[in-house]
Amino acid sequence: MAPSRPRIDIESVFRLTELADYIVPFTVRAVAELGVADQLVDGPRPVTELAEATGAHAPSLLRALRALAGKGIFTEVEPEVFGLTKLAEPLRTDHPLSLRDAYPLLEPDIEAWAHFDHSIRTGQASFDQVHPEGYWPYMAAHPHDSARFDASQQAATRLELRAALPAYPWGELSTVVDVGGGNGAFLGGIMARFPQLQGTLFDLPHVVAEAEPVLQKLGVAQRCTVTGGSFFETIPAGADAYLLKRILYGWDDDNAVRLLTAVRAAMRPDSRLLVLEPVVEAGDRFDVGRLYDLLLLAMVGGGARSREHIERLLDAADLRLGRSVPTMMFPILEIVPKEA
């Protein structure tokens, strides 16, 4: 008697095909860069008008929008006429949580993902396979790509602010230093909500050079000092709190301890360090932090750590974990000097 053939779960086959596909993600990014969603704010429009308004090739844009409509991103309300859906709304520039700039088609990043198997095999950044100078030196030498990267981080910051603002007692603080704070979108967002806060934005000089218009738009420029420098050296001292938002996990253990030690040297005995980043936990639960973990592996070779691992690094820098505050995204780790 011939052995019975195993039952094929065809739904799982199709689901895996959907998850492994990169056609839809690349199409979303291309349509976001064109600004198609902005052209549909007042209602559906023919694809010919959309193409003219965005500088696209109408037949090709039609094919792209039909593919996305099949995933619920845009809708074809009548032949060759498209409108927004709930999934397409965040691609508008004026959306309160706009994701239009969150998905740039950055050539060096795409090249790195094409070599991601190298990261899985070795634990090293696949970015370095195509750009040996490394991620941050590359960005410093390519201001256009750096600006687009900063815009993508600002889009992510909108979500992080929505998660962090109600979760932590920011009103208890008077002075905050955002270490590695980019263009100031996160610090500025907190300061805009809490007018008693005085802030210091600290990052590399070419990064903070882009901060002034961001802080002006948020109405906090008069209360925020912008300082350029290396956070492995001297960090502005004496603040109530120091922020490290998605910074620590981008460095190996030795450099992470160097950074934490520099922050510790700047802290008063009653200061606190707030680390906002994914913390590794076992199990099958989906966590956006696991995706950031892979992103860091591909781009810089870093990654998320377990709570126990983080505590070992803190101990080496004369710090200790006071508490972990959950948010809708990443936890806020409140860290204090050991003697506190």
Side-chain angles (χ1 to χ4, degrees):
M1 181 176 179
S4 61
R5 298 178 63 183
R7 177 180 175 273
I8 297 175
D9 183 351
I10 194 66
E11 290 186 5
S12 294
V13 173
F14 281 119
R15 177 62 174 151
L16 182 59
T17 300
E18 181 181 37
L19 290 172
D21 164 54
Y22 59 74
I23 299 170
V24 171
F26 271 61
T27 305
V28 170
R29 289 168 183 256
V31 168
E33 287 206 0
L34 289 171
V36 171
D38 289 345
Q39 302 301 322
L40 296 171
V41 172
D42 295 326
R45 297 178 66 182
V47 72
T48 52
E49 292 184 8
L50 294 175
E52 183 177 359
T54 61
H57 178 245
S60 298
L61 182 59
L62 173 63
R63 294 158 69 178
L65 291 177
R66 279 182 170 162
L68 294 181
K71 296 292 186 180
I73 309 169
F74 301 102
T75 179
E76 191 170 11
V77 296
E78 57 183 272
E80 300 189 11
V81 177
F82 291 86
L84 294 172
T85 59
K86 288 183 179 180
L87 281 177
E89 287 280 352
L91 296 178
R92 291 169 45 179
T93 303
D94 64 350
H95 191 279
L97 296 175
S98 176
L99 295 175
R100 179 184 172 183
D101 293 329
Y103 311 116
L105 284 167
L106 285 176
E107 183 176 347
D109 289 13
I110 294 167
E111 291 172 335
W113 284 113
H115 293 270
F116 188 53
D117 61 311
H118 171 77
S119 293
I120 300 295
R121 295 176 196 275
T122 67
Q124 299 171 356
S126 55
F127 188 94
D128 296 355
Q129 285 287 97
V130 288
H131 297 285
E133 68 268 40
Y135 198 81
W136 301 120
Y138 175 93
M139 287 298 173
H142 295 80
H144 178 66
D145 284 344
S146 180
R148 296 175 74 201
F149 170 80
D150 287 344
S152 73
Q153 295 304 292
Q154 191 166 340
T157 292
R158 296 186 190 101
L159 298 177
E160 292 165 335
L161 278 170
R162 193 174 184 89
L165 280 170
Y168 191 80
W170 305 99
E172 296 177 357
L173 306 174
S174 297
T175 54
V176 177
V177 177
D178 193 351
V179 180
N183 65 9
F186 187 77
L187 177 61
I190 295 173
M191 293 176 65
R193 182 70 67 88
F194 295 92
Q196 88 285 353
L197 273 180
Q198 299 289 320
T200 298
L201 177 67
F202 184 76
D203 210 321
L204 293 171
H206 80 275
V207 176
V208 296
E210 306 297 325
E212 186 65 22
V214 175
L215 299 173
Q216 288 285 1
K217 184 175 181 180
L218 290 167
V220 301
Q222 299 303 314
R223 291 187 282 126
C224 189
T225 302
V226 178
T227 305
S230 168
F231 52 47
F232 289 123
E233 297 172 3
T234 302
I235 293 171
D240 293 344
Y242 291 81
L243 301 179
L244 286 174
K245 181 178 72 69
R246 287 194 288 111
I247 298 294
L248 199 63
Y249 75 167
W251 300 94
D252 60 27
D253 285 0
D254 289 343
N255 281 309
V257 171
R258 284 180 62 206
L259 170 53
L260 290 168
T261 300
V263 174
R264 175 65 184 90
M267 295 171 70
R268 306 189 312 252
D270 62 341
S271 297
R272 64 191 85 172
L273 166 62
L274 305 176
V275 172
L276 288 73
E277 67 178 47
V279 176
V280 171
E281 296 180 3
D284 297 340
R285 179 180 63 89
F286 173 76
D287 181 346
V288 68
R290 298 183 181 193
L291 303 184
Y292 275 93
D293 188 25
L294 294 182
L295 176 64
L296 264 290
L297 174 59
M299 300 303 155
V300 298
R305 300 177 173 92
S306 68
R307 175 171 174 156
E308 293 74 21
H309 193 163
I310 292 171
E311 288 182 317
R312 290 196 296 272
L313 301 182
L314 295 176
D315 185 67
D318 194 35
L319 295 164
R320 65 176 177 84
L321 178 63
R323 59 173 174 154
S324 177
V325 180
T327 80
M328 293 185 296
M329 292 188 69
F330 315 129
I332 301 174
L333 305 180
E334 186 180 68
I335 295 158
V336 296
K338 276 185 183 178
E339 65 270 17

